[in-house]
Amino acid sequence: MGLTLCGRESVPHKAGRIRQQPAVQWHPGCRNPVRAAQLRRKQTCNNQHGTVCMVAAIDAPEAQKEKHDQPQADQGPSAKHVRREEAILFQGFGWDSCKVGDWWNVVKSKIQDMKDAGFTHIWLPPPSQSVADQGYLPGQLYNLDSKYGNKEQLQELCKELKAAGIVPLADIVINHRCADEKGEDGVYNTFRDDVTHKGEKVDWGKWAITCDDPDFGGEGSPDTGDDYGPAPDLDHTNDTLRSSIVDWMKWLQHDIGFEGWRFDFVKGYGAEFMQQYCGETVGNNAFNVGEYWADLKWGDDGLEYDQNEPRQTLVDWLEKAGGCFLFDFPTKGILAEAVRHSQYWRLIDHEGRMPGLAGYWPSRSVTFIDNHDTGSTQQHWPFPGHKAEETGYAYILTHPGMPCIMWEHYFDYGLGGCIKHLVEVRKRNGIDSRSSLAIKLAEADIYVAHVSDKLVVKLGSRSDMPQELVPQENEGWKIAATGKDFCVWEKQ
């Protein structure tokens, strides 16, 4: 192929007002209809941004690791086989999986396929009885007869997952809870607890609901996060409420078999409570991840280049939350625009790092390209299709951060072979959330990066890669994976 030299090199911009914390050293249920509508309107971008071409190699010494980022302790029969920084998360459902029937057994039938694919953790949908079939409007917490199956099926699934070395995570919805009965004021704000169980009862009253919830007549303290309209917001400042939630989570851990948590809508309550919810159950060093859908910055021409504000919001939350991770919504949005509009200059920030949360705190960033809200059958904010997902997975499966793969992408959309191969490349070369990254080139139609001096990753439609960046066979480089607008080389 023809080769040309990159014509210019941009001067890095100043970092701005973003605070750099010692722990942020770079080494390497959105069911809100208003926000979803805003996101759909903002998917198209005609930004005529100029070229960004920069060389950056940024590493942090091992001494900078924070205590919560140390390799995890033994968390049970399967967790001991996997270090958090090496995790590859698989989302074990789509938005309409609840309609399939017997979903727990469907997942069980795919355990060998998931093991062969190299997935280390699986995120399962909310297990409790729910007003909404998908599980995100829970009512009777201890009642595990849901649209996905029953308690016994879920116990057997968790048992077999752990036997295969895959760590099961439960989707924990504790920002809100649907009440069972109307109170004296005629509002649904009385909760029943109809299942016999160990631990504290969850037959709460108005005291469990925040006093500033606009619809449900709560008598608790003010909300410590954003309001969630469809259901009563819970008062997490209440010791009794938190204690009963912890008891329920311990039951899910010890009686059902979960070894980690995915927390829904964590912007709805204070991050400081996460240390109790995790620390008193599976532990702060288990794989626990929150969903904080930080709104990205949009302008008249589409997504703005600088997304420091939303990713700093995520860093601020992480600093209060102990050892929990967050899904990297900024990386998802930036990567989607880069692929959709051939704007690969977006994939480097002003300081030469990855532009999302993974650029600030890769060991706490769970990267993904779609989930049950953004993609699946909801399509609130989907990644570009027509095999462009391959480019997205080539990025997150070769870069720092902990990648998450969506069920439909692997089993339903014909991307399974590509994803499996990229996972093999990642594992074979020891790439994890701490791997170092050197971004060599980021222009409109091409992106080139070196990962831990073991991989060279090229994204974009341009084939005339600058000569000095082309991996040479006589230096031990060999093509490891190719696909839609990507190529990955590994060093032999």
Side-chain angles (χ1 to χ4, degrees):
M1 60 182 175
L3 300 170
T4 60
L5 294 175
C6 174
R8 54 194 163 121
E9 183 172 287
S10 299
V11 177
H13 295 270
K14 293 183 179 179
R17 65 177 181 86
I18 297 301
R19 296 181 294 108
Q20 289 296 87
Q21 307 295 333
V24 189
Q25 291 294 322
W26 162 245
H27 184 55
C30 174
R31 279 157 299 284
N32 183 324
V34 176
R35 179 169 56 198
Q38 291 171 339
L39 290 171
R40 284 195 295 270
R41 287 197 300 270
K42 292 172 178 174
Q43 283 170 10
T44 28
C45 168
N46 297 312
N47 195 325
Q48 301 299 316
H49 195 286
T51 296
V52 174
C53 175
M54 189 181 302
V55 177
I58 308 170
D59 300 290
E62 291 297 304
Q64 294 291 342
K65 293 181 182 179
E66 187 176 331
K67 62 180 180 179
H68 295 302
D69 291 332
Q70 297 300 323
Q72 73 180 89
D74 184 353
Q75 294 293 334
S78 66
K80 64 184 178 183
H81 299 299
V82 183
R83 296 188 307 139
R84 296 197 309 173
E85 54 265 39
E86 297 175 345
I88 297 175
L89 179 63
F90 184 62
Q91 182 174 6
F93 65 101
W95 183 249
D96 286 330
S97 296
C98 56
K99 299 178 181 179
V100 172
D102 210 23
W103 185 252
W104 299 140
N105 285 336
V106 172
V107 177
K108 188 170 73 171
S109 72
K110 299 290 188 180
I111 288 178
Q112 188 60 49
D113 292 329
M114 293 185 286
K115 180 179 180 179
D116 292 343
F119 304 147
T120 63
H121 295 68
I122 183 170
W123 153 28
L124 297 174
S128 299
Q129 172 269 335
S130 170
V131 173
D133 290 350
Q134 290 79 10
Y136 290 98
L137 291 175
Q140 294 285 319
L141 298 182
Y142 284 90
N143 180 356
L144 300 192
D145 288 333
S146 73
K147 293 296 183 180
Y148 299 105
N150 59 41
K151 173 185 173 182
E152 291 72 27
Q153 291 171 334
L154 182 54
Q155 286 174 315
E156 181 65 21
L157 172 59
C158 287
K159 178 181 176 181
E160 294 202 17
L161 283 165
K162 290 189 286 187
I166 301 173
V167 181
L169 278 59
D171 201 323
I172 300 296
V173 185
I174 53 175
N175 170 73
H176 51 272
R177 180 185 171 196
C178 289
D180 299 283
E181 299 172 350
K182 291 182 179 180
E184 296 178 354
D185 53 5
V187 177
Y188 277 96
N189 50 29
T190 301
F191 305 88
R192 295 200 313 266
D193 188 8
D194 296 341
V195 178
T196 301
H197 58 83
K198 296 176 289 186
E200 294 191 25
K201 297 283 286 182
V202 290
D203 51 351
W204 306 329
K206 290 189 288 186
W207 59 265
I209 302 172
T210 57
C211 64
D212 50 358
D213 187 301
D215 300 308
F216 295 98
E219 296 178 351
S221 297
D223 204 336
T224 54
D226 289 359
D227 177 63
Y228 181 80
D233 280 31
L234 300 179
D235 175 16
H236 290 263
T237 68
N238 187 288
D239 293 342
T240 300
L241 182 136
R242 290 200 315 277
S243 179
S244 57
I245 287 176
V246 167
D247 281 351
W248 171 63
M249 293 173 67
K250 286 180 178 178
W251 178 76
L252 289 176
Q253 177 189 2
H254 297 297
D255 287 46
I256 308 303
F258 288 104
E259 294 186 341
W261 316 119
R262 180 270 185 184
F263 290 92
D264 182 65
F265 197 68
V266 296
K267 67 190 303 182
Y269 52 98
E272 61 272 18
F273 304 117
M274 300 300 291
Q275 299 196 43
Q276 180 179 4
Y277 295 139
C278 296
E280 295 185 12
T281 57
V282 295
N284 282 315
N285 284 328
F287 192 108
N288 304 304
V289 57
E291 177 218 28
Y292 193 119
W293 192 324
D295 293 326
L296 303 190
K297 295 172 63 178
W298 299 83
D300 293 338
D301 294 324
L303 185 69
E304 294 183 6
Y305 169 69
D306 187 336
Q307 297 296 328
N308 284 344
E309 183 176 328
R311 63 176 176 169
Q312 183 65 53
T313 297
L314 300 187
V315 167
D316 292 343
W317 187 92
L318 287 168
E319 288 178 330
K320 299 176 183 177
C324 197
F325 309 142
L326 281 177
F327 285 104
D328 193 342
F329 279 90
T331 287
K332 182 263 193 293
I334 295 165
L335 180 60
E337 292 300 290
V339 172
R340 179 179 290 113
H341 299 296
S342 191
Q343 296 174 344
Y344 290 93
W345 45 261
R346 292 185 178 276
L347 299 185
I348 187 170
D349 73 1
H350 295 314
E351 299 298 313
R353 301 162 297 197
M354 294 171 69
L357 174 62
Y360 276 177
W361 211 338
S363 61
R364 297 290 192 87
S365 163
V366 177
T367 54
F368 69 104
I369 68 170
D370 261 331
N371 62 25
H372 63 295
D373 283 326
T374 66
S376 192
T377 52
Q378 292 207 92
Q379 296 288 297
H380 284 326
W381 192 25
F383 201 84
H386 306 292
K387 292 291 184 178
E389 299 99 337
E390 290 186 357
T391 315
Y393 279 115
Y395 182 81
I396 68 171
L397 286 169
T398 58
H399 279 55
M402 290 158 287
C404 180
I405 291 97
M406 191 174 75
W407 178 280
E408 288 104 326
H409 284 166
Y410 193 81
F411 285 118
D412 301 331
Y413 294 178
L415 300 170
C418 176
I419 292 170
K420 182 178 180 181
H421 189 52
L422 286 165
V423 170
E424 290 171 351
V425 172
R426 182 181 183 90
K427 290 193 166 189
R428 187 165 63 238
N429 289 277
I431 306 303
D432 61 29
S433 66
R434 300 183 178 283
S435 294
S436 62
L437 180 70
I439 299 174
K440 301 294 185 178
L441 181 63
E443 296 184 338
D445 54 359
I446 187 170
Y447 168 89
V448 181
H450 287 205
V451 187
S452 289
D453 294 323
K454 295 179 179 179
L455 298 181
V456 174
V457 182
K458 178 263 180 188
L459 307 178
S461 60
R462 192 202 301 182
S463 60
D464 56 338
M465 192 169 167
Q467 180 66 50
E468 71 275 14
L469 298 183
V470 178
Q472 299 299 317
E473 188 174 353
N474 60 7
E475 295 177 358
W477 292 100
K478 183 179 180 181
I479 291 178
T482 60
K484 171 69 174 174
D485 288 342
F486 80 85
C487 186
V488 180
W489 292 261
E490 63 185 346
K491 199 155 193 178
Q492 302 299 301

